[in-house]
Amino acid sequence: MYKIAVIGGDGTGPEVVAEALKVLDAVARRRNIAYETHAFDFGGDRYLRTGEALPSSAVEDLRGFDAVLLGAIGHPDVKPGILEKGILLRLRFELDQYINLRPVKLYPGVTGPLADKGPEDIDFVVVRENTEGLYCGMGGIQKLGTPDEVAIQVSVNTRKGVERCIRYAFEACRARGKRKRLLLCAKTNVLTYAHDLWERVFHEVAARYRDVETDYAHVDATCMWMTLQPERFDVIVTDNMFGDIITDLGAAIQGGLGIAAGGNINPDPDGVSMFEPIGGSAPKYKGKNMINPLAAISSVDMMLRHLGEVAAGKSIEAAIMRVTERKLKSLAAGRMGYTTTQVGDLVCEALA
Ligand code: IPM
Ligand code: MN
């Protein structure tokens, strides 16, 4: 019996999570997967009501689950940073979800922005470090608001943190079994301390994975190749900040944030991982039944595979592909040709 924590969160989060749960229910019935869900009301509304982003018991409570399904965090009435740091980053850090796994895959029938690229060209995975780098929150401001103001934001890169991320990426690349090529994306020509560590550790770990080919590109060049020759990529490993940036570009070339999902993974057997559509809370579409739920549905696919229910996950992906290929006019909110709930229904029907 899987215990799934569900955080609908802000904006359109609850709407897309409802569709994701509908698909989870349909798959679980077909495949006799026993699960129970427990909803948590973390998000902007709760913060505005109580003044705390997460109750003190939240992290301990979530540790008791097999996985977390998250909708979106971000509220127009809450200053940027409070909920992101107080909920999303705090959960990633405290649950030690040190991998952010983001597949970039163009599904059939989807018109992406790259005119001459099809599904055979856009199919790679980004392994983003998820607990260190510029996201650590270290630094400060002195002489605030004066002409002498100093702002420092530190990037933390530990050998342990870098190594476990790179090792995971090699394993993922091997398990994926496609081109078996792992590319390190960094900026070794400028970040001569932090990314020197990344580069050294990358080669050290590579020695234990002789079957995986290694490659390197600076982050700026990576962005260029992602648009010009996405077929070059198999698995990319990178730090937290660069991973954040290149995965929005990745989402764009796979048809937009409506389809892009990610997993915040703690690979430890007892670790609790959290799966989310990466698109954010899209407040302007809230309550309109217009947003695309496929990214949230795809995060259920990732969650099931992570839990070991690989066939169930694959069946969701196959259903999503049937829907993108045969039904949807576009992946964009309001232009799909169907409502949010109808898209959820279409995926359930396509599971057959
Ligand atoms: C993401 C988001 C978050 C990040 C924000 C909301 C803190 O952009 O999941 O990519 O930067 O990691
Ligand atoms: Mn992001």
Coordinates of all heavy atoms in Angstrom, one line a residue, residues 265-332:
I265 N 14.3 14.0 -6.3 CA 14.5 12.6 -5.9 C 15.5 12.5 -4.8 O 16.6 13.1 -4.8 CB 15.1 11.8 -7.1 CG1 14.4 12.0 -8.4 CG2 15.3 10.3 -6.8 CD1 13.2 11.2 -8.6
N266 N 15.2 11.7 -3.8 CA 16.1 11.3 -2.8 C 16.3 9.8 -3.0 O 15.4 9.0 -2.7 CB 15.6 11.5 -1.3 CG 16.5 10.9 -0.3 OD1 17.3 10.0 -0.6 ND2 16.4 11.5 0.9
P267 N 17.4 9.4 -3.7 CA 17.5 8.0 -4.1 C 17.7 7.0 -3.0 O 17.6 5.8 -3.3 CB 18.8 8.1 -5.0 CG 19.1 9.5 -5.2 CD 18.5 10.2 -4.0
D268 N 17.9 7.4 -1.8 CA 18.0 6.5 -0.7 C 16.7 5.6 -0.6 O 15.6 6.1 -0.8 CB 18.1 7.3 0.6 CG 18.5 6.4 1.8 OD1 17.6 5.8 2.4 OD2 19.7 6.3 2.1
P269 N 16.9 4.3 -0.3 CA 15.7 3.5 -0.3 C 14.6 4.0 0.7 O 13.4 3.8 0.5 CB 16.2 2.1 0.2 CG 17.7 2.1 -0.1 CD 18.1 3.6 -0.1
D270 N 15.0 4.7 1.8 CA 14.0 5.2 2.7 C 13.7 6.7 2.4 O 12.9 7.3 3.1 CB 14.6 5.2 4.1 CG 14.8 3.7 4.6 OD1 14.0 2.9 4.2 OD2 15.8 3.5 5.3
G271 N 14.3 7.2 1.3 CA 14.1 8.6 1.0 C 12.7 8.9 0.5 O 12.0 8.0 -0.1
V272 N 12.2 10.1 0.7 CA 10.9 10.5 0.2 C 11.1 11.5 -1.0 O 11.8 12.5 -0.8 CB 10.1 11.2 1.2 CG1 8.7 11.6 0.7 CG2 10.0 10.3 2.5
S273 N 10.6 11.1 -2.2 CA 10.8 11.9 -3.4 C 9.5 12.7 -3.7 O 8.4 12.2 -3.3 CB 11.3 11.1 -4.5 OG 12.5 10.5 -4.2
M274 N 9.7 13.8 -4.4 CA 8.5 14.6 -4.7 C 8.4 15.0 -6.2 O 9.4 15.4 -6.8 CB 8.7 15.9 -3.8 CG 7.6 17.0 -4.0 SD 7.8 18.2 -2.7 CE 9.2 19.1 -3.3
F275 N 7.3 14.8 -6.7 CA 7.1 14.9 -8.2 C 6.2 16.1 -8.5 O 5.2 16.3 -7.8 CB 6.5 13.6 -8.7 CG 7.5 12.5 -8.4 CD1 7.5 11.8 -7.2 CD2 8.5 12.2 -9.3 CE1 8.4 10.8 -6.9 CE2 9.4 11.2 -9.1 CZ 9.4 10.5 -7.8
E276 N 6.5 16.9 -9.5 CA 5.8 18.1 -9.8 C 5.8 18.4 -11.2 O 6.8 18.2 -11.9 CB 6.4 19.2 -9.0 CG 7.9 19.4 -9.1 CD 8.5 20.7 -8.5 OE1 7.7 21.6 -8.2 OE2 9.7 20.7 -8.3
P277 N 4.7 19.1 -11.7 CA 4.8 19.7 -13.0 C 5.7 21.0 -12.8 O 5.6 21.6 -11.7 CB 3.4 20.2 -13.3 CG 2.7 20.2 -12.0 CD 3.4 19.3 -11.1
I278 N 6.6 21.3 -13.7 CA 7.6 22.4 -13.4 C 7.1 23.8 -13.8 O 7.8 24.7 -13.6 CB 9.0 22.1 -14.0 CG1 9.0 22.3 -15.5 CG2 9.5 20.7 -13.6 CD1 10.5 22.2 -16.0
G279 N 5.8 23.8 -14.2 CA 5.3 25.1 -14.8 C 4.9 26.2 -13.8 O 4.8 27.3 -14.2
G280 N 4.8 25.9 -12.6 CA 4.4 27.0 -11.7 C 2.8 27.1 -11.6 O 2.1 26.3 -12.1
S281 N 2.4 28.2 -10.8 CA 1.0 28.2 -10.4 C 0.1 28.9 -11.3 O -1.1 28.9 -11.2 CB 1.0 28.9 -9.0 OG 1.5 30.2 -9.1
A282 N 0.6 29.6 -12.4 CA -0.2 30.2 -13.4 C -1.5 30.9 -12.9 O -2.6 30.5 -13.3 CB -0.5 29.2 -14.5
P283 N -1.4 31.8 -11.9 CA -2.6 32.3 -11.3 C -3.6 32.9 -12.2 O -4.8 32.8 -11.9 CB -2.0 33.5 -10.4 CG -0.6 33.5 -10.5 CD -0.1 32.4 -11.4
K284 N -3.2 33.4 -13.4 CA -4.2 34.0 -14.2 C -5.2 32.9 -14.8 O -6.3 33.2 -15.3 CB -3.6 34.8 -15.3 CG -3.0 34.1 -16.5 CD -2.6 35.1 -17.6 CE -1.8 34.4 -18.6 NZ -1.4 35.2 -19.7
Y285 N -4.8 31.7 -14.8 CA -5.7 30.6 -15.3 C -6.5 29.9 -14.2 O -7.2 29.0 -14.4 CB -4.9 29.6 -16.1 CG -4.4 30.1 -17.4 CD1 -3.0 30.3 -17.6 CD2 -5.2 30.5 -18.4 CE1 -2.5 30.8 -18.8 CE2 -4.7 31.0 -19.6 CZ -3.4 31.2 -19.8 OH -2.9 31.7 -20.9
K286 N -6.2 30.3 -12.9 CA -6.8 29.6 -11.8 C -8.3 29.5 -11.9 O -9.0 30.5 -12.2 CB -6.4 30.4 -10.5 CG -7.0 29.7 -9.3 CD -6.6 30.5 -8.0 CE -7.4 29.9 -6.9 NZ -6.9 30.2 -5.6
G287 N -8.9 28.4 -11.7 CA -10.3 28.2 -11.6 C -11.0 28.3 -13.0 O -12.2 28.2 -13.1
K288 N -10.2 28.3 -14.1 CA -10.9 28.5 -15.4 C -11.0 27.2 -16.2 O -11.5 27.2 -17.3 CB -10.0 29.5 -16.2 CG -10.0 30.9 -15.6 CD -9.8 32.0 -16.6 CE -10.1 33.4 -16.0 NZ -8.9 34.2 -16.1
N289 N -10.4 26.1 -15.6 CA -10.5 24.8 -16.3 C -9.8 24.9 -17.7 O -10.3 24.3 -18.7 CB -12.0 24.4 -16.4 CG -12.1 22.8 -16.6 OD1 -11.1 22.1 -16.3 ND2 -13.2 22.4 -17.0
M290 N -8.8 25.7 -17.8 CA -8.1 25.9 -19.1 C -6.7 25.4 -19.1 O -6.1 25.2 -20.2 CB -8.0 27.4 -19.3 CG -9.3 28.0 -19.8 SD -9.2 29.8 -19.7 CE -8.2 30.3 -21.1
I291 N -6.1 25.2 -17.9 CA -4.6 24.8 -17.9 C -4.4 23.4 -18.3 O -5.3 22.6 -18.2 CB -4.1 25.0 -16.4 CG1 -2.6 25.1 -16.4 CG2 -4.7 24.0 -15.5 CD1 -2.1 26.5 -16.7
N292 N -3.2 23.1 -18.9 CA -2.9 21.8 -19.3 C -2.5 20.9 -18.2 O -1.5 21.2 -17.5 CB -1.8 21.9 -20.4 CG -1.5 20.6 -21.1 OD1 -1.9 19.5 -20.6 ND2 -0.8 20.6 -22.2
P293 N -3.2 19.8 -17.9 CA -2.8 19.0 -16.8 C -1.7 17.9 -17.1 O -1.4 17.1 -16.3 CB -4.1 18.3 -16.4 CG -4.8 18.1 -17.7 CD -4.4 19.3 -18.6
L294 N -1.3 17.9 -18.4 CA -0.4 16.7 -18.8 C 0.9 16.7 -18.0 O 1.4 15.6 -17.7 CB -0.1 16.8 -20.3 CG -1.3 16.4 -21.2 CD1 -0.9 16.5 -22.7 CD2 -1.8 15.0 -20.9
A295 N 1.4 17.9 -17.7 CA 2.7 17.9 -16.9 C 2.5 17.2 -15.5 O 3.3 16.4 -15.1 CB 3.2 19.3 -16.7
A296 N 1.3 17.5 -14.9 CA 1.0 16.9 -13.6 C 0.8 15.4 -13.8 O 1.2 14.6 -13.0 CB -0.2 17.6 -13.0
I297 N 0.1 15.0 -14.9 CA -0.1 13.6 -15.1 C 1.2 12.9 -15.4 O 1.4 11.8 -14.9 CB -1.1 13.5 -16.3 CG1 -2.5 14.0 -15.9 CG2 -1.2 12.0 -16.8 CD1 -3.5 14.2 -17.1
S298 N 2.1 13.6 -16.1 CA 3.4 13.0 -16.4 C 4.2 12.9 -15.1 O 5.0 11.9 -14.9 CB 4.1 14.0 -17.3 OG 5.2 13.4 -17.8
S299 N 4.0 13.7 -14.1 CA 4.7 13.5 -12.8 C 4.2 12.3 -12.1 O 5.0 11.7 -11.3 CB 4.7 14.8 -11.9 OG 3.6 15.5 -12.0
V300 N 3.0 11.9 -12.3 CA 2.5 10.6 -11.8 C 3.2 9.5 -12.4 O 3.6 8.5 -11.8 CB 1.0 10.5 -11.9 CG1 0.5 9.1 -11.5 CG2 0.2 11.5 -11.0
D301 N 3.4 9.6 -13.7 CA 4.2 8.6 -14.5 C 5.6 8.4 -13.8 O 6.0 7.3 -13.4 CB 4.3 9.0 -15.9 CG 5.5 8.3 -16.7 OD1 6.1 7.4 -16.2 OD2 5.7 8.8 -17.8
M302 N 6.2 9.6 -13.6 CA 7.6 9.5 -12.9 C 7.5 9.0 -11.5 O 8.4 8.2 -11.1 CB 8.2 11.0 -12.9 CG 8.5 11.5 -14.2 SD 9.4 13.1 -14.1 CE 11.0 12.6 -13.7
M303 N 6.5 9.3 -10.8 CA 6.4 8.9 -9.4 C 6.2 7.3 -9.4 O 6.9 6.6 -8.6 CB 5.1 9.5 -8.8 CG 4.9 9.1 -7.3 SD 3.5 10.0 -6.6 CE 2.1 9.0 -7.3
L304 N 5.3 6.8 -10.3 CA 5.1 5.4 -10.3 C 6.4 4.6 -10.7 O 6.7 3.6 -10.1 CB 4.0 5.0 -11.2 CG 2.6 5.4 -10.7 CD1 1.5 5.3 -11.8 CD2 2.2 4.6 -9.5
R305 N 7.1 5.1 -11.7 CA 8.4 4.5 -12.0 C 9.3 4.5 -10.9 O 10.0 3.5 -10.6 CB 9.0 5.1 -13.3 CG 8.2 4.9 -14.5 CD 9.0 5.4 -15.7 NE 8.0 5.8 -16.8 CZ 8.2 5.7 -18.1 NH1 9.4 5.2 -18.5 NH2 7.3 6.1 -18.9
H306 N 9.4 5.6 -10.2 CA 10.3 5.7 -9.0 C 9.9 4.7 -7.9 O 10.8 4.1 -7.3 CB 10.3 7.1 -8.5 CG 11.1 7.3 -7.3 ND1 12.5 7.5 -7.4 CD2 10.9 7.3 -6.0 CE1 13.0 7.6 -6.2 NE2 12.0 7.5 -5.3
L307 N 8.6 4.5 -7.8 CA 8.2 3.5 -6.8 C 8.3 2.1 -7.2 O 8.0 1.2 -6.5 CB 6.7 3.8 -6.4 CG 6.4 5.1 -5.7 CD1 4.9 5.3 -5.6 CD2 7.0 5.1 -4.3
G308 N 8.8 1.9 -8.5 CA 9.0 0.5 -9.0 C 7.9 0.0 -9.8 O 7.9 -1.1 -10.3
E309 N 6.8 0.9 -10.0 CA 5.7 0.5 -10.8 C 6.0 1.0 -12.3 O 5.3 1.8 -12.8 CB 4.4 1.1 -10.3 CG 4.1 0.7 -8.8 CD 3.7 -0.8 -8.7 OE1 3.4 -1.4 -9.7 OE2 3.7 -1.2 -7.6
V310 N 7.0 0.3 -12.9 CA 7.5 0.8 -14.1 C 6.4 0.7 -15.3 O 6.2 1.6 -16.0 CB 8.8 0.1 -14.5 CG1 9.3 0.6 -15.9 CG2 9.9 0.5 -13.4
A311 N 5.8 -0.5 -15.3 CA 4.8 -0.7 -16.3 C 3.6 0.2 -16.2 O 3.1 0.8 -17.2 CB 4.3 -2.2 -16.3
A312 N 3.2 0.5 -15.0 CA 2.1 1.5 -14.8 C 2.6 2.9 -15.3 O 1.8 3.6 -16.0 CB 1.8 1.5 -13.3
G313 N 3.8 3.3 -15.0 CA 4.3 4.6 -15.4 C 4.3 4.6 -16.9 O 3.8 5.6 -17.6
K314 N 4.8 3.6 -17.5 CA 4.9 3.5 -19.0 C 3.6 3.6 -19.7 O 3.4 4.2 -20.7 CB 5.6 2.3 -19.5 CG 7.2 2.3 -19.3 CD 7.9 1.1 -19.9 CE 9.4 1.3 -19.7 NZ 10.1 0.0 -20.0
S315 N 2.6 3.0 -19.0 CA 1.2 3.0 -19.6 C 0.7 4.4 -19.6 O -0.1 4.8 -20.5 CB 0.3 2.0 -18.9 OG -0.1 2.5 -17.7
I316 N 1.0 5.2 -18.6 CA 0.6 6.6 -18.6 C 1.3 7.4 -19.7 O 0.6 8.2 -20.4 CB 0.9 7.3 -17.2 CG1 0.1 6.6 -16.1 CG2 0.6 8.8 -17.2 CD1 0.3 7.2 -14.7
E317 N 2.5 7.2 -19.8 CA 3.2 7.9 -20.9 C 2.6 7.5 -22.3 O 2.4 8.4 -23.1 CB 4.7 7.6 -20.9 CG 5.5 8.4 -22.0 CD 7.0 8.3 -21.9 OE1 7.4 7.1 -21.7 OE2 7.7 9.3 -22.2
A318 N 2.4 6.3 -22.5 CA 1.8 5.9 -23.8 C 0.4 6.5 -24.0 O 0.1 7.0 -25.1 CB 1.6 4.3 -23.8
A319 N -0.4 6.6 -22.9 CA -1.7 7.3 -23.0 C -1.5 8.8 -23.3 O -2.2 9.3 -24.1 CB -2.5 7.1 -21.7
I320 N -0.6 9.4 -22.6 CA -0.3 10.8 -22.9 C 0.1 11.0 -24.4 O -0.4 11.9 -25.1 CB 0.8 11.4 -22.0 CG1 0.4 11.4 -20.6 CG2 1.3 12.8 -22.5 CD1 1.5 11.8 -19.6
M321 N 0.9 10.1 -24.9 CA 1.3 10.2 -26.3 C 0.1 10.0 -27.3 O 0.0 10.7 -28.3 CB 2.4 9.2 -26.6 CG 3.7 9.6 -25.9 SD 5.2 8.9 -26.6 CE 5.3 7.3 -25.9
R322 N -0.8 9.1 -26.9 CA -2.0 9.0 -27.8 C -2.8 10.3 -27.8 O -3.3 10.7 -28.8 CB -2.8 7.8 -27.2 CG -2.4 6.5 -27.8 CD -3.3 5.4 -27.4 NE -2.4 4.2 -27.2 CZ -2.2 3.6 -26.0 NH1 -2.9 3.9 -24.9 NH2 -1.4 2.6 -26.0
V323 N -2.9 10.9 -26.6 CA -3.7 12.1 -26.5 C -3.0 13.3 -27.3 O -3.6 14.0 -28.0 CB -3.9 12.5 -25.0 CG1 -4.5 13.9 -24.9 CG2 -4.8 11.4 -24.4
T324 N -1.7 13.4 -27.1 CA -1.0 14.5 -27.9 C -1.1 14.3 -29.4 O -1.2 15.2 -30.1 CB 0.5 14.7 -27.4 OG1 1.2 13.5 -27.7 CG2 0.6 15.1 -26.0
E325 N -0.9 13.0 -29.7 CA -0.9 12.7 -31.2 C -2.3 12.8 -31.8 O -2.4 13.4 -32.9 CB -0.4 11.3 -31.4 CG -0.2 10.9 -32.8 CD 0.7 9.7 -33.0 OE1 0.7 8.9 -32.1 OE2 1.3 9.6 -34.1
R326 N -3.3 12.4 -31.1 CA -4.6 12.3 -31.8 C -5.6 13.4 -31.4 O -6.6 13.6 -32.1 CB -5.3 10.9 -31.5 CG -4.4 9.8 -32.0 CD -5.1 8.5 -31.9 NE -4.1 7.4 -32.0 CZ -4.2 6.2 -31.5 NH1 -5.3 5.9 -30.8 NH2 -3.3 5.3 -31.7
K327 N -5.4 14.0 -30.3 CA -6.5 14.9 -29.8 C -6.2 16.3 -29.7 O -6.9 17.2 -30.2 CB -7.0 14.4 -28.4 CG -7.4 12.9 -28.4 CD -8.8 12.7 -28.9 CE -9.2 11.3 -28.8 NZ -10.5 11.1 -29.4
L328 N -5.1 16.7 -29.0 CA -4.9 18.1 -28.6 C -4.5 18.9 -29.8 O -3.6 18.5 -30.6 CB -3.8 18.2 -27.5 CG -4.1 17.5 -26.2 CD1 -3.2 18.0 -25.1 CD2 -5.6 17.6 -25.7
K329 N -5.0 20.1 -29.8 CA -4.6 21.1 -30.9 C -3.3 21.7 -30.5 O -2.5 22.1 -31.4 CB -5.7 22.2 -31.0 CG -7.0 21.7 -31.6 CD -7.7 22.9 -32.3 CE -9.1 22.7 -32.6 NZ -10.0 22.9 -31.4
S330 N -3.1 21.9 -29.3 CA -1.9 22.6 -28.8 C -1.7 22.2 -27.3 O -2.7 21.6 -26.7 CB -2.2 24.1 -28.9 OG -1.4 24.8 -27.9
L331 N -0.6 22.5 -26.8 CA -0.3 22.2 -25.4 C -0.6 23.4 -24.5 O -0.6 23.3 -23.3 CB 1.1 21.7 -25.1 CG 1.5 20.4 -25.8 CD1 2.9 20.0 -25.4 CD2 0.6 19.2 -25.4
A332 N -0.9 24.5 -25.1 CA -1.0 25.8 -24.4 C -2.3 25.9 -23.7 O -3.4 25.4 -24.2 CB -0.8 26.9 -25.3

